[in-house]
Amino acid sequence: MRVLDVGCGVGGPAREIVKFSGVNVVGLNNNDYQIERATRYAEKEGLSHKLKFTKGDFMVLLTFPRAVRPTNASPANVLP
């Protein structure tokens, strides 16, 4: 399973999702500095094989692939 983390920041929730569930996560953010930090943190925690961070603007996403289910659930609502 793959998870799209829109507005991932420095990847904290994405890393926790990987640790908790083992899924692959793609983090989308429009801030180069935060993408760099997220990538570094994932490498430091040995999670870079499950986490990829990319630059993009979620405001221009017109459609989601069938495999992605958009949600407005915050990480606080997803993880115990």
Side-chain angles (χ1 to χ4, degrees):
M1 179 187 299
R2 287 186 297 170
V3 173
L4 176 62
D5 182 2
V6 177
C8 64
V10 297
R15 291 191 309 276
E16 292 302 315
I17 290 168
V18 168
K19 291 178 202 174
F20 180 76
S21 66
V23 300
N24 295 304
V25 177
V26 175
L28 180 69
N29 201 334
N30 64 357
N31 183 297
D32 289 322
Y33 176 78
Q34 290 181 338
I35 292 169
E36 177 188 331
R37 299 294 286 195
T39 302
R40 187 178 315 155
Y41 293 150
E43 290 170 356
K44 184 177 179 180
E45 294 187 34
L47 301 171
S48 58
H49 65 290
K50 291 283 197 177
L51 285 163
K52 302 296 178 215
F53 298 97
T54 188
K55 185 170 183 172
D57 184 355
F58 70 90
M59 295 298 288
V60 297
L61 289 177
L62 299 177
T63 60
F64 288 91
R66 286 184 295 169
V68 176
R69 293 183 183 170
T71 179
N72 64 355
S74 72
N77 293 335
V78 176
L79 300 174

